[in-house]
Amino acid sequence: MKRIKELIVVEGKHDRDRLEKLFDCDVICTDGLSMSEDVLETIRTIGTKRGVIVFTDPDHPGEVIRRRIGEIVPDCQHVFVNRTDAIGRRNVGVEYVSDENIIRALENRITFEKDSESLKWEQFCSLGIIGNKDKRTKLCEILHIGYSNNKTLFKRLNMMGMTQQQLTDILKELENER
């Protein structure tokens, strides 16, 4: 069983159970959006010593939690899964993602740099992503950053330090695959 040294932040106990089944890891639950100040302080404290991985559901509450954890642990790592892979009986959640996709997601974790501006809005617009949901969705999948609307995608690309040339190359490869 692979050991993960960082603290993994998830929303609920079923998410925690899934990860603990697959990895030797420490997991803390936020209990959804109702995270207490004690939980946030624990995440902050452990984050300074061991690092934090944020692995929330691919939905709005998951994004809110992700942003909140990113504020208190700026160098945290992020793990994303596709929404279609997380659809369960009652709702959307990490607990419904296959073992294979959880393992792959953790292998593709990323860290965002908050004040990076490697891409200007005009450059982003020139890529032909705006108004093309399929292209935007595929780009998000390739980069392992979770589904994003245009504004969030632009922000995440900058936080990853992506340049116009890097994105042009990726989009050309995407076109060649079709």
Side-chain angles (χ1 to χ4, degrees):
M1 186 177 288
K2 182 178 178 183
R3 172 78 181 138
I4 298 176
K5 74 172 184 80
E6 296 89 353
L7 176 68
I8 303 175
V9 178
V10 297
E11 292 183 53
K13 63 183 179 176
H14 297 294
D15 302 338
R16 180 194 63 218
D17 294 346
R18 289 296 312 285
L19 290 171
E20 289 177 343
K21 180 184 109 183
L22 296 171
F23 302 98
D24 177 13
C25 60
D26 296 313
V27 181
I28 191 168
C29 300
T30 66
D31 293 324
L33 290 171
S34 62
M35 11 181 196
S36 70
E37 285 302 316
D38 288 342
V39 167
L40 291 172
E41 187 55 37
T42 300
I43 294 168
R44 180 187 350 264
T45 302
I46 293 174
T48 61
K49 294 175 177 37
R50 293 178 40 197
V52 170
I53 298 171
V54 181
F55 197 169
T56 56
D57 298 343
D59 57 9
H60 178 70
E63 284 300 312
V64 171
I65 294 166
R66 183 179 301 282
R67 282 192 302 272
R68 182 71 179 114
I69 302 304
E71 290 170 3
I72 64 168
V73 185
D75 61 344
C76 66
Q77 298 175 38
H78 296 271
V79 174
F80 296 90
V81 291
N82 293 328
R83 185 178 181 85
T84 55
D85 295 334
I87 297 174
R89 294 178 302 277
R90 297 173 302 183
N91 54 16
V92 173
V94 169
E95 67 187 273
Y96 303 116
V97 178
S98 71
D99 292 353
E100 178 182 293
N101 285 339
I102 287 174
I103 293 166
R104 186 177 318 117
L106 277 160
E107 289 171 351
N108 291 302
R109 58 189 182 230
I110 59 173
T111 303
F112 294 133
E113 294 179 29
K114 293 286 186 205
D115 296 324
S116 177
E117 187 176 58
S118 55
L119 186 67
K120 303 282 186 211
W121 180 252
E122 297 78 25
Q123 295 171 317
F124 177 73
C125 291
S126 73
L127 295 170
I129 297 171
I130 296 177
N132 189 333
K133 185 176 180 179
D134 291 336
K135 187 184 276 191
R136 185 176 70 241
T137 301
K138 190 65 178 164
L139 181 62
C140 291
E141 288 175 9
I142 290 168
L143 296 174
H144 306 283
I145 58 174
Y147 175 77
S148 304
N149 62 26
N150 289 315
K151 184 179 175 183
T152 301
L153 177 58
F154 175 69
K155 188 186 305 185
R156 286 183 179 166
L157 292 172
N158 270 304
M159 289 170 28
M160 291 174 65
M162 297 293 292
T163 65
Q164 183 180 19
Q165 187 58 53
Q166 289 172 312
L167 292 166
T168 300
D169 293 345
I170 292 169
L171 292 170
K172 279 182 185 173
E173 284 183 38
L174 184 62
E175 287 297 319
N176 291 336
E177 289 177 6
R178 290 183 181 195

